[in-house]
Amino acid sequence: MKYKKITTSIMVALAGNALNLASFNYSLAEEADDDVEKIAVVGARGAPRSVTSSPVPVDVLSADDISSVAFSDMNDVMKTLVPSYTLSRQPISDGGTFIRPAQLRGLPTDKTLVLVNSKRRHRAALVQIGGSGTQGPDLATIPTAAIGSIEVLRDGAAAQYGSDAIAGVINFQLKDNSEGGSFSAEWGQHYEGDGDQLTISGNKGFAIGDDGFFSISAEYSDADATYRGQQYCESWFCVDDQSPEFIAAATEMARSVHGSEFVQPWGQPPTEGLRVFFNTGYAISSDIELYAYGNYSESEGDGSFFYRYPGNGTIEDIRLEDGSVWSPLEFFPGGFTPRFAGEIADYSFVGGVKGMTDSLGFDVSARYGFNEISYTIFNTINPSMGNNSPTSFNPGDLSNEEFQIQADFTYDFEEYVLAFGASYMEETYDITEGDLNSFFAGPYAGTDPWGFCDGSATDDAVASAISNGLDCDNPDDPIYTVVGVGSNGFPGFSPDFSDSYERDSFAVYADVSGDITDSLFGQLAVRYEDYSDFGSELVYKIAGIYQINDEFAIRSSFGTGFRAPTPGQQGTTNVSTRLPNGFPVATGLFPAGGPVAQALGAEPLRPEKSTNYTLGMTYSTGSFNLTVDYYHILLEDRLNAISTLDVSTDPTSGDAYENFLKLDGAGVQGANSIGGVFYFQNVFDTITEGVDIVATYLLESSFGDTLFTTSFNYGTNEIDSDPSGAFNAEDTFDLEEGTPNTRGVASVRHTYEDWQVTARLSYYGEYENTQNSTLETIQTFGSEYMFDVEGTYHISEALSLSVGVRNLFDNYPDPGSMGETCCGRIYRSDSIVDWQGGYYYSKLNARF
């Protein structure tokens, strides 16, 4: 059997060039042979999820698959349906509170290329602080109502698509309806009685004459906070052990600021968002089509930092200019928890023309994308300003901007198809200065700011201070207290660290594929890329599938990849509270190429390079389909944050004191209040390998149709070089063992007359975490099952009502038992196993 037209269409759409599946079907529609018709059913009800005719693993998720998931956030949809896609909820993670980090096949999202209608999706402005420093597209800006299908290529495709496509490619196909539409309204709440969520979404298609369409989709979501913690009570400070007056003030602060009586809230933050997408096309003739799509979204949310208690380095006694003693407790009698808010704006536009002239297909397009985060921090102070400090700050903005021109072509040589093209892209990452108070170094950033003890103050001033208890011979006198600089929790971007980082790149590629024999299909691709900041690179890929018989085939691929660190990864800077040794300290992140990190020993960043290998099999007979694929990814010079370096002003602290001298010498304001520092580096090589299994079976009977889908992933991450000197034993252990190696999802969807029931079981395997570099304490987290169920009644052809429960049995991961799970936290906040508990919901759907 010949597979040329099926496989070529899939490969060009998902792992070839930017000609999408719809355009390829359009160009071949006149032939209308059986093979072409088979492509048209991809994503339809009951169709196999995993494509068995492709030489690389490809999953197609239909609109029904997407709508059966009780989430509005596209990140959660992907996590639910694709086992190798993992996601964590990090309540205290700076901007990561709002744009959550995810992984595909154990690699961060910046190693996965995200497309919309087969065009590259622009990155979010946020660079995740710590870890891999990932900066990728924000999937939460894509409303589920706009999506007709999702195609997931689980294989490296850098030779076709370029930088980022190391772990795989996710392609979101927008709806292209020219009539009709849909509307849905969903409300849900967690078993704990919190986290209420309302989602309203809709889609409407319009015809443009006889040969065009305009499809527009919108979604509004509003989610309340959840609380899964307990009162702050640690060996160094316990709220419940304080005076009744302090406890009353602390709990009142908590209730008024974040809605819980616990001073340190743990859970999902409150969020609100509006997202709009449009997709349009118009056929000028039978061979040429104009198209465009774009989006606008705005969202906001807020989360907390760690609770500040008396004596923690922030709430300290200081001596004011009149010699009196002052404490931030006069602003916050029960201590305070800084609250961090982000407003995210995201918009894009893509336009182009595509078509066929004889045997030549073409697609010429331009795209623009922009994402911006504007920060606010409140319920906090700039400690160095003392009693003159405001309690709300604007620490600055981050933005990412991309512009790309692309031309893609295909030429049909009967037995082979040649795809080739070129692109030019400009990228800009901006860090915008915050308000002055957010980074200002006030008088209390140093000792004896008013000269009471060094002889520079007037005699009257000294006398007044002495009358207030000044004792210059006492090293513990508040005159010697040094406190932090900038808005506490997240100091603003100062002029020294506010800048614009730009680059441009150029790429050309060629891809040839076709039937080598009646049973063997092959593909070869090469790509040359040149970056203004990282030079040039040539990558390649070869793939093939051999059909042993009508049911069984084997497939394999081998390729190289290249990922240039983004301008954001090269320029981001941050000072925030972290727990490098289980205890909160102010920790600074500085650009690897800047003077501060260079003084600490950093080297300029280099591109990451990969070698990908896959070997798999496919089996298809009747209504049963099975794919099994092994993958092996060697990632060289992997980008990651180094392990936090200690900083101390104590001359006896060895390397920690040397680090302080380097920070101070580099002109870092408030260096004496920083307890740790780190930066991004090409730290190590890793090997990521595993197995993906996807099986579907459709059972048809007089009692209705039942679709069974099972997907399973087993994967490991192993460091393949010596990371010592930059990466400590704790961080090494946690990278290799800190997430489950095994993840599985099994679902059943049964349809009978006007009823439909969907049941889904999610499985997470065991994983481990350690507390410090001695590895003396290791906690093993047990496996976990979570069960979802949803029932739908079709009231009429146009109206249906669904009710369901997510995590029916209210399962949680094991509570944390080590020091990292401190400060009122019960569950590891970075766990990919959901720790919000059961959730029930109802949804009204209308089609018209």
Side-chain angles (χ1 to χ4, degrees):
M1 180 179 179
K2 293 279 188 175
Y3 289 88
K4 175 189 166 186
K5 285 191 169 64
I6 302 177
T7 311
T8 300
S9 296
I10 293 169
M11 292 303 295
V12 169
L14 304 180
N17 56 49
L19 293 177
N20 63 34
L21 195 61
S23 70
F24 226 87
N25 283 341
Y26 169 80
S27 67
L28 296 176
E30 294 182 1
E31 299 183 24
D33 59 28
D34 292 340
D35 289 342
V36 177
E37 291 301 317
K38 290 178 182 177
I39 301 174
V41 304
V42 170
R45 183 187 302 274
R49 176 175 131 171
S50 194
V51 181
T52 58
S53 58
S54 168
V56 292
V58 177
D59 287 344
V60 179
L61 307 175
S62 69
D64 283 342
D65 294 327
I66 299 167
S67 64
S68 70
V69 177
F71 287 102
S72 62
D73 189 324
M74 188 60 73
N75 279 297
D76 290 303
V77 173
M78 294 297 298
K79 176 198 73 172
T80 303
L81 296 176
V82 181
S84 59
Y85 188 94
T86 57
L87 185 71
S88 61
R89 166 74 67 188
Q90 299 187 8
I92 299 182
S93 186
D94 299 324
T97 302
F98 318 118
I99 300 177
R100 292 180 290 164
Q103 294 184 329
L104 181 67
R105 282 186 160 180
L107 294 175
T109 43
D110 60 358
K111 313 298 187 294
T112 297
L113 180 62
V114 176
L115 309 174
V116 174
N117 279 2
S118 301
K119 308 293 184 184
R120 179 184 286 266
R121 179 72 173 161
H122 61 276
R123 299 184 184 93
L126 178 69
V127 177
Q128 299 288 345
I129 304 304
S132 65
T134 184
Q135 184 193 8
D138 181 11
L139 298 192
T141 61
I142 304 175
T144 56
I147 303 304
S149 65
I150 304 173
E151 297 145 351
V152 183
L153 169 66
R154 294 177 278 109
D155 189 34
Q160 294 100 341
Y161 277 113
S163 185
D164 301 350
I166 289 176
V169 179
I170 302 174
N171 185 27
F172 294 91
Q173 292 283 5
L174 299 175
K175 291 179 179 177
D176 57 3
N177 50 310
S178 60
E179 61 181 8
S182 62
F183 171 83
S184 71
E186 178 181 329
W187 177 85
Q189 184 184 76
H190 287 273
Y191 285 9
E192 295 292 327
D194 57 15
D196 290 33
Q197 180 166 317
L198 173 67
T199 303
I200 300 173
S201 63
N203 165 267
K204 181 68 177 76
F206 301 90
I208 303 177
D210 294 329
D211 302 304
F213 71 93
F214 181 86
S215 179
I216 186 167
S217 305
E219 177 182 271
Y220 169 78
S221 64
D222 186 5
D224 293 341
T226 62
Y227 303 97
R228 298 295 179 268
Q230 56 194 357
Q231 191 57 281
Y232 193 111
C233 189
E234 302 295 341
S235 60
W236 53 83
F237 189 85
C238 182
V239 172
D240 292 337
D241 292 343
Q242 307 308 305
S243 68
E245 295 78 13
F246 185 93
I247 294 174
T251 54
E252 175 58 28
M253 178 277 300
R255 290 192 189 99
S256 63
V257 173
H258 54 249
S260 167
E261 64 178 6
F262 301 146
V263 298
Q264 181 69 69
W266 294 101
Q268 73 177 25
T271 59
E272 183 179 13
L274 173 66
R275 292 165 280 273
V276 179
F277 250 95
F278 78 88
N279 186 30
T280 185
Y282 187 82
I284 300 174
S285 68
S286 60
D287 298 319
I288 300 177
E289 179 185 355
L290 297 176
Y291 64 89
Y293 72 85
N295 84 289
Y296 177 79
S297 75
E298 56 182 33
S299 61
E300 60 182 6
D302 60 274
S304 291
F305 285 106
F306 287 102
Y307 171 64
R308 271 55 170 169
Y309 52 86
N312 77 329
T314 299
I315 300 181
E316 302 286 352
D317 289 343
I318 58 175
R319 285 201 180 274
L320 302 180
E321 190 173 8
D322 64 2
S324 64
V325 176
W326 182 86
S327 167
L329 290 175
E330 297 190 25
F331 284 177
F332 304 104
F336 66 95
T337 305
R339 197 72 176 173
F340 191 51
E343 296 182 1
I344 303 172
D346 183 281
Y347 51 87
S348 67
F349 180 82
V350 177
V353 57
K354 62 187 177 184
M356 291 289 296
T357 58
D358 296 326
S359 297
L360 180 68
F362 63 89
D363 185 338
V364 180
S365 64
R367 71 173 182 91
Y368 174 82
F370 181 84
N371 183 277
E372 180 182 58
I373 307 175
S374 298
Y375 289 133
T376 302
I377 186 168
F378 58 97
N379 200 56
T380 187
I381 59 171
N382 180 338
S384 70
M385 296 178 67
N387 62 328
N388 292 318
S389 172
T391 58
S392 180
F393 307 83
N394 294 309
D397 305 335
L398 303 174
S399 66
N400 189 82
E401 185 177 32
E402 297 177 20
F403 174 74
Q404 185 177 19
I405 301 174
Q406 188 166 334
D408 301 286
F409 305 91
T410 61
Y411 191 85
D412 193 340
F413 288 97
E414 294 185 359
E415 290 302 320
Y416 300 96
V417 171
L418 172 66
F420 58 97
S423 73
Y424 172 79
M425 184 163 67
E426 296 177 347
E427 303 172 72
T428 303
Y429 186 80
D430 284 322
I431 302 176
T432 304
E433 181 180 329
D435 68 60
L436 176 63
N437 290 331
S438 71
F439 59 81
F440 178 65
Y444 306 102
T447 61
D448 195 12
W450 310 115
F452 294 138
C453 296
D454 66 7
S456 61
T458 66
D459 291 341
D460 289 343
V462 173
S464 175
I466 291 175
S467 69
N468 282 289
L470 171 67
D471 182 0
C472 291
D473 294 327
N474 179 8
D476 295 326
D477 190 279
I479 195 65
Y480 298 117
T481 300
V482 175
V483 290
V485 171
S487 44
N488 187 250
F490 191 95
F493 302 121
S494 69
D496 292 339
F497 297 102
S498 302
D499 206 345
S500 182
Y501 299 85
E502 301 178 353
R503 77 161 173 223
D504 58 74
S505 60
F506 173 77
V508 293
Y509 74 91
D511 179 323
V512 61
S513 56
D515 292 308
I516 300 173
T517 69
D518 286 351
S519 301
L520 178 63
F521 175 91
Q523 180 192 34
L524 174 65
V526 294
R527 187 182 188 95
Y528 173 83
E529 290 192 301
D530 184 77
Y531 284 78
S532 59
D533 50 356
F534 286 107
S536 59
E537 188 72 21
L538 181 69
V539 294
Y540 66 91
K541 178 177 178 178
I542 184 171
I545 181 169
Y546 182 75
Q547 195 74 29
I548 296 176
N549 54 42
D550 288 345
E551 292 83 24
F552 184 75
I554 57 174
R555 59 187 180 186
S556 184
S557 69
F558 181 86
T560 59
F562 167 85
R563 198 196 76 84
T566 68
Q569 289 173 323
Q570 297 177 65
T572 192
T573 182
N574 175 269
V575 177
S576 59
T577 302
R578 298 174 63 82
L579 284 82
N581 297 305
F583 189 80
V585 297
T587 307
L589 166 68
F590 298 98
V596 177
Q598 292 281 300
L600 292 163
E603 297 180 357
L605 299 180
R606 303 187 304 275
E608 299 169 290
K609 298 181 180 180
S610 68
T611 303
N612 294 59
Y613 171 72
T614 67
L615 177 63
M617 58 78 67
T618 70
Y619 181 76
S620 179
T621 178
S623 297
F624 178 73
N625 291 268
L626 171 69
T627 63
V628 181
D629 294 280
Y630 164 81
Y631 59 91
H632 182 283
I633 306 171
L634 170 62
L635 185 56
E636 299 179 86
D637 295 328
R638 180 167 170 174
L639 184 70
N640 207 88
I642 67 167
S643 296
T644 301
L645 304 174
D646 291 333
V647 178
S648 175
T649 57
D650 181 1
T652 65
S653 60
D655 291 342
Y657 181 65
E658 291 298 319
N659 291 332
F660 160 70
L661 294 178
K662 292 174 182 177
L663 289 179
D664 191 53
V668 176
Q669 290 185 332
N672 52 359
S673 65
I674 293 178
V677 66
F678 65 106
Y679 44 83
F680 296 126
Q681 285 285 268
N682 298 92
V683 181
F684 41 64
D685 303 339
T686 60
I687 293 177
T688 302
E689 63 180 340
V691 176
D692 283 322
I693 301 174
V694 179
T696 59
Y697 177 66
L698 178 62
L699 176 64
E700 299 176 304
S701 71
S702 58
F703 298 102
D705 297 341
T706 305
L707 178 64
F708 300 88
T709 303
T710 300
S711 51
F712 172 87
N713 171 259
Y714 174 83
T716 61
N717 258 312
E718 178 184 350
I719 293 179
D720 193 43
S721 61
D722 182 8
S724 60
F727 217 55
N728 63 34
E730 177 188 5
D731 290 337
T732 298
F733 183 91
D734 290 346
L735 185 141
E736 295 182 334
E737 309 294 340
T739 56
N741 291 339
T742 305
R743 172 97 161 86
V745 178
S747 66
V748 178
R749 185 166 65 211
H750 180 73
T751 303
Y752 179 69
E753 295 184 345
D754 295 329
W755 295 89
Q756 179 175 290
V757 177
T758 301
R760 182 183 299 108
L761 180 66
S762 296
Y763 170 77
Y764 300 85
E766 290 185 352
Y767 57 103
E768 295 180 314
N769 191 267
T770 188
Q771 178 172 297
N772 52 50
S773 291
T774 65
L775 305 186
E776 293 178 357
T777 303
I778 296 174
Q779 180 177 0
T780 299
F781 295 83
S783 58
E784 191 59 70
Y785 294 88
M786 294 188 180
F787 186 71
D788 306 337
V789 62
E790 177 182 283
T792 300
Y793 175 66
H794 294 277
I795 302 170
S796 66
E797 290 186 3
L799 191 66
S800 66
L801 177 66
S802 300
V803 293
V805 180
R806 191 170 72 223
N807 191 1
L808 176 65
F809 301 110
D810 199 28
N811 290 340
Y812 287 82
D814 293 342
S817 62
M818 300 186 299
E820 291 177 328
T821 314
C822 76
C823 314
R825 185 167 17 185
I826 298 175
Y827 310 100
R828 288 196 61 86
S829 53
D830 60 353
S831 171
I832 70 167
V833 182
D834 185 77
W835 45 278
Q836 302 303 309
Y839 177 87
Y840 56 88
Y841 62 92
S842 61
K843 180 165 55 176
L844 181 68
N845 296 283
R847 297 183 183 276
F848 49 87

